[in-house]
Every structure is written in structure tokens, then in C-alpha cells.
Amino acid sequence: EAGVVQSPRYKIIEKKQPVAFWCNPISGHNTLYWYRQNLGQGPELLIRYENEEAVDDSQLPKDRFSAERLKGVDSTLKIQPAELGDSAVYLCASSLVGTANSPLHFGNGTRLTVT
Amino acid sequence: QKEVEQNSGPLSVPEGAIASLNCTYSDRVSQSFFWYRQYSGKSPELIMSIYSNGDKEDGRFTAQLNKASQYVSLLIRDSQPSDSATYLCAVMGSNYKLTFGKGTLLTVNP
């Protein structure tokens, strides 16, 4: 079974530039998550999708971040414009269903550096 | 008060010893509890899940849950150098949001 696939693995951009990350979840997983992980910290949820619907985006900085999950499969997370504080690892995860007993499976992440 | 708190560590144990990792959480109606292992530069990997009070054993790993005390722990028996990593406690609340602690860095010395 293929795992969660993310691209790119690394991205270096200058501040004020846009950037986009892509995620393809495990086949059949209805729930998709985007987390951000700063150095020395645990992952923090940005947004959670149930199929195409964003059911929890309370932590997403909506002034500069946007996300979409068209057709309920793969997803894109965008930052425009990027700021220095956005440097972090962006992790995508998926689970079978959004229930309590469905553990998350993570992709390899995208390490973003904003200069 | 942080939602999920872990001993920040680092925790250092000799090879063959028992490593004990602790976690407390604030949401009393939390339903599910997970331990993830994260090697440096890698993504989190699920190693244990526990849903009811008591102990759950899987090989050298034992997860312990006490909902009354809002406490969950992970014991690693016969620790190996390959166990050296950051261990993340994750708690799923009533709204199915999975919240992570900061993680505890474990070093197993040969």
C-alpha cells in the first residue's frame, strides 16, 4: 500500500513570494490533514478535510494561507505571501475515516525555508 | 494550560534499560491516545494507540492510560540505540482533532 505522498520535499523561497505544497493521501482515506511543525515542537493542525469539506480550519491563518481538496482526493496548501515565520515542515496526513479510532498516517513532509 | 503536555527531556537511558515517557492532557472527554516516534528529519510514525483505561502491550512497548488522572504513558523495555528518537504523545478530543505534545527526546546509550 502506497503511503501519503507529498511534494516537494524541500522548498526555499524569498519572503513575499507564493508557495504551494501538494499531498496525495493513502487510497481510500477520506480524511486529510495539514499540520505545521516548527523545530523542537509537535505538529500543529492547520486544516482537516472530510472528503471535500474543510471541517476544521480554525487554526489556518486565512489572510495568507489557503487550501483545497478538489474531488476529495489530493490536496494543495498555498501560502501567499510567505513570511519569515512560515519556515517550518508542512506535514500532510490521512486517516480512513474521521473517527476516534482512526490513526493518522503522515507523509514525508515539505521543509519550507523562507529567506 | 497546554492541551497536551510531555516531559520535554531529553531523556537518556542505557541500552537494555526501561524508558518511561509521560503525557498529560486537559480535555476530559478525549477518546483516543497515540504515541508517535519521530526520527530526526523524518515524519512521525505511529507506534501505539490506546483507547481504554489500563495497559496495552505490543512487543517491547507498553502504553498505559488513566482517564481519571488524564494521564498516558509509554514504556519501552530493553531499550535499544535504534529507539533514540523524539516521542510524540497525541490526543484526539471530542471534535476528532488530534493534538500533539511537544515531544520527548529519548537517547539510548550503548
Side-chain angles (χ1 to χ4, degrees):
Chain A
E1 176 187 76
V4 177
V5 179
Q6 289 187 247
S7 68
R9 286 298 311 277
Y10 305 93
K11 190 74 175 179
I12 301 174
I13 61 171
E14 293 183 347
K15 62 181 180 182
K16 301 184 182 180
Q17 294 301 305
V19 64
F21 315 124
W22 176 82
C23 173
N24 187 259
I26 293 173
S27 178
H29 280 197
N30 299 328
T31 307
L32 184 146
Y33 309 75
W34 283 102
Y35 280 84
R36 176 171 59 190
Q37 187 173 25
N38 292 305
L39 190 64
Q41 303 294 315
E44 295 178 326
L45 180 68
L46 293 174
I47 190 168
R48 174 167 68 96
Y49 282 94
E50 295 283 348
N51 298 306
E52 302 91 352
E53 182 182 0
V55 296
D56 184 354
D57 63 356
S58 57
Q59 306 276 66
L60 190 71
K62 297 182 183 65
D63 57 335
R64 297 184 300 106
F65 286 65
S66 64
E68 61 182 11
R69 191 183 184 198
L70 300 176
K71 300 181 181 179
V73 182
D74 55 355
S75 175
T76 302
L77 178 68
K78 298 179 181 178
I79 309 174
Q80 182 171 10
E83 297 180 352
L84 295 177
D86 296 331
S87 295
V89 175
Y90 290 82
L91 293 163
C92 179
S94 68
S95 65
L96 188 58
V97 292
T99 64
N101 297 349
S102 298
L104 276 62
H105 300 269
F106 284 87
N108 288 327
T110 295
R111 182 177 298 276
L112 174 67
T113 302
V114 182
T115 64
Chain B
Q1 180 189 11
K2 288 190 177 295
E3 295 179 53
V4 180
E5 296 208 45
Q6 295 184 244
N7 295 1
S8 58
L11 176 65
S12 181
V13 301
E15 184 174 356
I18 295 175
S20 177
L21 304 159
N22 304 315
C23 175
T24 58
Y25 58 94
S26 60
D27 184 356
R28 287 191 168 274
V29 297
S30 295
Q31 304 175 58
S32 307
F33 308 85
F34 305 92
W35 283 99
Y36 283 81
R37 177 176 61 199
Q38 187 172 28
Y39 292 114
S40 180
K42 302 295 186 182
S43 59
E45 170 193 14
L46 179 71
I47 55 172
M48 288 288 286
S49 59
I50 187 165
Y51 308 111
S52 55
N53 280 329
D55 295 359
K56 179 181 178 182
E57 186 175 318
D58 184 2
R60 295 185 297 111
F61 299 94
T62 298
Q64 299 174 317
L65 174 62
N66 184 325
K67 290 187 177 180
S69 300
Q70 296 173 242
Y71 174 89
V72 59
S73 66
L74 179 71
L75 299 177
I76 307 175
R77 290 182 301 280
D78 188 24
S79 295
Q80 302 296 309
S82 60
D83 296 326
S84 297
T86 295
Y87 288 80
L88 297 163
C89 173
V91 177
M92 186 168 287
S94 54
N95 59 355
Y96 303 127
K97 177 182 175 181
L98 190 65
T99 301
F100 286 83
K102 287 180 60 174
T104 299
L105 177 62
L106 171 66
T107 301
V108 181
N109 301 304

